[in-house]
Amino acid sequence: MSWEVVIGLEIHAQLTTQSKIFSGASIAYGAEPNTQACAIDLAMPGMLPVLNQAVIGKSILLGLALEAEIGRKSVFDRKNYFYPDLPKGYQTSQFNFPIVGKGRLEIEVDGVKKVIGVTRAHLEEDAGKSIHGAVTGQTGVDLNRAGTPLLEIVSDPDMSSAQEAVAYAKKMHELVQYLGICDGNMQEGSFRVDSNVSVRRPGEPLGTRAELKNINSFKFIEKAIEIEIERQIDILESGGKVVQETRLYDAEKNITRSMRTKEEANDYRYFPCPDLLPVMITQADIDAIRATMPELPAAKRDRFVSQFGLSEYDATQLTSSRAMAEYFENLLAKTDAKDPKLCANWMLAGFSAALNRDGLDVAQAPVSTEQFAGLIGRILDNTLSGKIAKQVFDAMWAGEGSADDIIEAKGLKQITDSSAIEALVDEVLANNPNQVAAFKAGQEKMLGYFVGQIMKVSGGQANPAQVNQILLSKLS
């Protein structure tokens, strides 16, 4: 009998505020340890938290994007547990009255669409960080992260494969960045995923779940879930029992290993935080935030297809991030949208390849949309062939100036003079009599050989369309 896999995700999205959720301390990443923790973050006696209002609006924005219920009364609770990097002995979080209630998110895997339920999204503060190894034989504590605002997005256990879990995580990652509520930086921990995994026989109650904690790459999420599924099935088929616990994924060994036993909600002894008043949200508040909602990824994809005539694939790639989509639309505007498909091809080929090669984000691209539009313009007016345009793009990327500057400096203007191209064709045909004879004997593949030779002797500057036209007339 087969096994059914049940997966739910808890995503911690760090909100893009300037200061912490209950204090005015900075949340800038990478500061020296314990330089961004104030008396409130350190839990000094008598210190009282003050809610950062910005987190409410950002949370409601996500709730609206997920078509979720917005809690008109939102209450902060104390979640009690002891960790060395949690100086208060409790985490200020939400339990019975979260900011965002039931919602939904549609995913697609191998062309099949599926709606994943969102159980809730609640606000909470992050804990500090234990530092192992900085001092031999000791563990240090950095409280810079303590109090950083998080939105914990809890899904329903609706996913049944690692691929679905990754699709959901990617879709949520895309959404929070589009909304501008989280920078999505997984390496810096701004977007972290916990996966709750269990298996059961079809028709049986839910199995005991294990939580895979704080996985910070989509690749590792998939691997960790797959290895955990195998582990649980092996235990059950051997007659054992799965223990409810939190586990860590070891990427080097491709295993999951126990971190600690998993507590139930009762173990945390939640109770309302006496230092924070309930947050009351009106319909006018919601309407005002709804008015700031940007165009969401799915709507943008559909518009790129209908407005610019792009394929579904191209539109999906170009809207994979808000920065990419905005760069593309800026490029189109600079070129008066004369050839959206040409712009899309260049964005998805040379531009994306250069970003990946140099490990850059779109915002860090050394080629501005103005410069890029200059290159597109020189392709459209036949100043540049596609091959030479690539050479110009690489020079622009290296900081050598505008397309026109580079064309002038390197003498890269495309040859479009028919008599000049005809002379090149004659030269190549005269130097390759055997190949000409082969072509006339029926070997049509020789045509490509001739084109290659002509482009070679022209330094890649001959207009390919004219070359083909003149070549065929000479060989006919």
Side-chain angles (χ1 to χ4, degrees):
M1 184 183 294
S2 62
W3 292 93
E4 282 185 352
V5 176
V6 180
I7 303 169
L9 298 188
E10 297 173 10
I11 293 173
H12 290 85
Q14 180 179 319
L15 297 176
T16 51
T17 57
Q18 297 298 311
S19 57
K20 296 184 177 178
I21 187 170
F22 299 122
S23 81
S26 170
I27 60 169
Y29 180 80
E32 287 294 315
N34 296 312
T35 59
Q36 296 188 155
C38 69
I40 293 175
D41 309 320
L42 296 171
M44 299 299 287
M47 295 297 103
L48 293 175
V50 177
L51 178 62
N52 184 339
Q53 189 175 358
V55 302
I56 300 297
K58 293 177 187 295
S59 304
I60 293 175
L61 201 56
L62 177 68
L64 294 174
L66 295 174
E67 303 174 40
E69 302 162 4
I70 306 299
R72 298 305 180 91
K73 178 184 178 183
S74 186
V75 176
F76 285 95
D77 299 280
R78 289 185 176 180
K79 180 181 180 183
N80 297 275
Y81 60 99
F82 175 77
Y83 284 144
D85 50 19
L86 189 66
K88 291 187 294 190
Y90 62 84
Q91 179 186 31
T92 305
S93 181
Q94 296 187 312
F95 187 55
N96 286 320
F97 299 95
I99 189 81
V100 177
K102 294 289 290 183
R104 65 195 295 279
L105 187 68
E106 185 178 87
I107 64 169
E108 183 172 338
V109 176
D110 296 332
V112 178
K113 294 183 178 179
K114 182 176 182 179
V115 174
I116 306 299
V118 173
T119 310
R120 55 194 269 143
H122 59 265
L123 285 163
E124 64 182 24
E125 60 182 344
D126 208 346
K129 185 177 181 181
S130 296
I131 300 175
H132 307 286
V135 179
T136 303
Q138 298 183 33
T139 295
V141 174
D142 177 10
L143 293 176
N144 281 353
R145 204 175 65 179
T148 296
L150 299 179
L151 190 60
E152 181 173 338
I153 310 160
V154 182
S155 82
D156 292 344
D158 288 346
M159 290 155 275
S160 54
S161 70
Q163 292 71 35
E164 287 186 2
V166 170
Y168 172 85
K170 284 185 173 179
K171 198 74 178 290
M172 195 66 78
H173 185 255
E174 176 188 71
L175 183 59
V176 296
Q177 290 184 90
Y178 259 83
L179 295 171
I181 65 171
C182 173
D183 65 20
N185 191 321
M186 298 181 77
Q187 288 186 324
E188 294 180 359
S190 299
F191 188 90
R192 312 193 296 264
V193 178
D194 300 343
S195 306
N196 287 294
V197 181
S198 66
V199 299
R200 64 178 176 184
R201 295 294 190 186
E204 291 186 351
L206 288 174
T208 302
R209 73 182 190 275
E211 181 187 50
L212 303 172
K213 192 75 175 171
N214 285 342
I215 306 176
N216 64 354
S217 90
F218 297 120
K219 176 182 174 182
F220 289 162
I221 291 170
E222 184 169 356
K223 284 189 171 185
I225 290 174
E226 287 178 342
I227 204 72
E228 179 60 19
I229 292 169
E230 290 179 15
R231 187 189 74 87
Q232 292 188 20
I233 290 175
D234 286 345
I235 290 173
L236 295 173
E237 291 189 341
S238 301
K241 290 185 178 180
V242 175
V243 177
Q244 181 167 318
E245 61 183 347
T246 297
R247 299 180 68 84
L248 292 176
Y249 175 61
D250 186 329
E252 290 188 4
K253 297 179 180 177
N254 196 32
I255 60 171
T256 66
R257 53 186 169 80
S258 182
M259 178 183 177
R260 61 174 183 259
T261 56
K262 178 67 178 175
E263 299 88 345
E264 298 286 356
N266 288 341
D267 297 323
Y268 290 121
R269 293 171 289 116
Y270 282 97
F271 64 87
C273 179
D275 296 333
L276 290 161
L277 292 171
V279 177
M280 308 305 292
I281 298 169
T282 67
Q283 185 59 48
D285 296 329
I286 296 172
D287 292 342
I289 292 167
R290 191 190 301 276
T292 68
M293 179 82 73
E295 185 180 32
L296 297 181
K300 196 176 283 290
R301 273 192 289 275
D302 292 344
R303 183 169 60 80
F304 278 14
V305 171
S306 61
Q307 183 177 352
F308 304 129
L310 301 181
S311 66
E312 288 277 354
Y313 176 81
D314 285 354
T316 299
Q317 296 301 309
L318 288 168
T319 56
S320 60
S321 76
R322 184 172 174 177
M324 188 77 165
E326 289 180 347
Y327 190 102
F328 174 69
E329 291 201 272
N330 286 335
L331 176 59
L332 279 188
K334 298 287 191 312
T335 61
D336 296 326
K338 289 177 181 172
D339 196 332
K341 177 59 178 170
L342 179 64
C343 292
N345 288 345
W346 272 89
M347 286 280 299
L348 298 176
F351 183 77
S352 294
L355 288 176
N356 292 334
R357 181 194 64 213
D358 295 344
L360 301 176
D361 295 327
V362 174
Q364 299 170 307
V367 174
S368 68
T369 51
E370 288 83 358
Q371 290 175 305
F372 212 155
L375 176 68
I376 296 294
R378 296 290 80 80
I379 298 171
L380 290 173
D381 67 12
N382 284 326
T383 300
L384 295 175
S385 65
K387 183 176 180 181
I388 297 298
K390 177 66 170 60
Q391 188 177 336
V392 173
F393 176 82
D394 289 342
M396 287 167 54
W397 195 269
E400 296 182 27
S402 70
D404 287 340
D405 291 342
I406 294 164
I407 292 167
E408 183 67 26
K410 296 179 180 287
L412 297 175
K413 194 171 182 179
Q414 183 168 239
I415 300 171
T416 56
D417 182 289
S418 295
S419 60
I421 294 175
E422 188 171 351
L424 292 171
V425 172
D426 289 340
E427 178 187 342
V428 168
L429 294 181
N431 291 336
N432 294 277
N434 294 335
Q435 287 80 0
V436 171
F439 177 83
K440 291 184 176 179
Q443 293 187 34
E444 295 184 357
K445 65 180 182 181
M446 297 310 301
L447 189 65
Y449 170 78
F450 296 133
V451 172
Q453 291 299 305
I454 295 163
M455 296 305 292
K456 184 177 179 181
V457 297
S458 72
Q461 292 178 254
N463 182 292
Q466 288 178 270
V467 167
N468 274 285
Q469 181 185 10
I470 294 172
L471 185 58
L472 285 171
S473 69
K474 294 279 183 182
L475 290 170
S476 61

